[in-house]
Amino acid sequence: MHKVTVTRKMTNDALSIWNVLDDFGNIFKYHPGVESSNILDKKKTGLGAKRICNFYDGTGLKETIIKYVPNRNYSVELSDFSFPLKKATAHFQIESLNENGSILSVTMEFIPKFGPLGWLMGKLMMRPMLKKVLNGMAKGLDEHISTGQIVGKDGELLKPVQATN
């Protein structure tokens, strides 16, 4: 199993970060690779909640929350993806530093397909690519919370999120 961890000091308080992460169906608002995302069932968050993420390149995947500790962390299992992986899980953790800062830690664990060749691909290609993706997502999350803007493709800040009644 391969593991990639990204830790970022965030400029926002832990509760603000949690509230955006916990809005499980709206990852597209801060993830620069996700063009759209939706909840798949009636459960919007918490253990068992499911979402679909559609990427700008036309691919996508499903995620299901498999571990959930409110205001602190959750883990998602990835499925229905086109990546050469047998299994992938992501863990999101928030720790408060003070009222103006927090630490976000995101860890991706994955098992590549193709035996020893897959292991080598995981080490040389997938881990660096995933680290870049996770760093972009963490940066996008911080910017989205700070500005209220949607983070679009390649991290471009788009328009402010409009409140709905």
Side-chain angles (χ1 to χ4, degrees), residues 4 83 122 124-135:
V4 177
F83 313 120
L124 298 177
M125 295 170 28
M126 291 179 195
R127 284 178 60 187
M129 186 250 335
L130 284 171
K131 189 166 191 101
K132 181 179 178 183
V133 167
L134 295 178
N135 273 316

Side-chain angles (χ1 to χ4, degrees), residues 133-144:
V133 167
L134 295 178
N135 273 316
M137 185 209 60
K139 180 178 185 253
L141 178 62
D142 208 20
E143 289 179 340
H144 170 67

Side-chain angles (χ1 to χ4, degrees), residues 33-88:
V34 177
E35 184 173 17
S36 65
S37 56
N38 299 8
I39 292 293
L40 291 175
D41 295 325
K42 292 181 182 185
K43 189 170 183 114
K44 294 186 179 197
T45 192
L47 199 59
K50 297 176 184 179
R51 71 179 168 204
I52 187 164
C53 298
N54 300 299
F55 301 113
Y56 285 101
D57 68 2
T59 62
L61 57 79
K62 292 179 184 172
E63 294 179 317
T64 303
I65 296 178
I66 58 170
K67 179 182 173 191
Y68 184 84
V69 179
N71 299 317
R72 236 179 118 69
N73 64 60
Y74 65 75
S75 299
V76 296
E77 183 174 77
L78 285 66
S79 62
D80 296 342
F81 44 77
S82 60
F83 313 120
L85 301 174
K86 290 181 184 177
K87 182 177 181 174

Side-chain angles (χ1 to χ4, degrees), residues 63-120:
E63 294 179 317
T64 303
I65 296 178
I66 58 170
K67 179 182 173 191
Y68 184 84
V69 179
N71 299 317
R72 236 179 118 69
N73 64 60
Y74 65 75
S75 299
V76 296
E77 183 174 77
L78 285 66
S79 62
D80 296 342
F81 44 77
S82 60
F83 313 120
L85 301 174
K86 290 181 184 177
K87 182 177 181 174
T89 307
H91 311 278
F92 298 81
Q93 173 91 26
I94 304 292
E95 292 183 39
S96 181
L97 293 174
N98 55 46
E99 65 273 357
N100 297 318
S102 305
I103 298 289
L104 171 69
S105 178
V106 183
T107 300
M108 178 76 79
E109 297 175 330
F110 63 95
I111 300 172
K113 293 180 179 177
F114 311 123
L117 178 60
W119 182 90
L120 188 60

